[in-house]
Amino acid sequence: SLLARAIALRRETQYEAALQDLETFLNLAPKQDQQANALYERGLVEVALKKHNVAEQTFIALLQLDSKYSAADRVLYELAWAQKSQQKTDLAVASFQKLVADHPQSSMAAESYFHIGEASYENKEYPSAIEAYQAARNAEADGDLAEQVAYKLGWSHFKLEDFEKARGQFRKQIAADRDTPLAAEARFMEAECHF
């Protein structure tokens, strides 16, 4: 079918051809589930082509068409990134918040909480940042994300001049025993907390 071919073309990074097939398919007025799948694919192609404003509209249209779409968490994640790519921070945060509210078990929940925390941190809303970073940790952030969460938790407490809690977070980060630039910074910040 056209949709299957479009998916194959997207996977082969033949985005323009995929987009043509998806447009043709959508013009055939397919059933709701197939239309939703085609919109999702079209959004992914638009993101790949860096057409973030168009992708944003596609993902919004998909969620309006089918709010219970089987991959709604992925749609919200892609929507948030399309918005973030356009510096629409408030809209991106709202999309990440909807993702974690509607899909708390999603594999993208931890990263979504992290981005919510980052927005609060940028706005110097450190208690809110701590809450979001903690939620990211509870959602089982792992690897690089877990390290970033610990680091930013430490910094958030540090900004609130709660040096003991900050030191504890930097200590947790160091205990993970990762050989990364952030780990070196955490050692320095642990010393700063003592100071």
Side-chain angles (χ1 to χ4, degrees), residues 40 43-44 47 52 55-56 59-60 63 69 71-85 91-100 103 106-115 145:
Y40 179 60
L44 293 178
V47 166
H52 301 295
E56 177 186 11
F59 292 130
I60 289 170
L63 292 170
Y69 183 64
D73 60 334
R74 293 190 175 281
V75 175
L76 286 163
Y77 179 82
E78 293 292 346
L79 173 60
W81 272 105
Q83 291 163 330
K84 217 170 149 64
S85 299
L91 288 174
V93 168
S95 296
F96 283 127
Q97 286 171 330
K98 184 160 176 50
L99 191 161
V100 297
H103 311 278
S106 170
S107 60
M108 286 152 279
E111 185 186 337
S112 297
Y113 277 121
F114 178 74
H115 291 296
L145 183 59

Side-chain angles (χ1 to χ4, degrees), residues 11-30:
R11 289 185 177 147
E12 292 169 13
T13 68
Q14 294 181 33
Y15 302 125
E16 294 297 347
L19 205 50
Q20 282 179 341
D21 279 359
L22 289 165
E23 289 309 319
T24 304
F25 181 78
L26 285 164
N27 287 333
L28 298 173

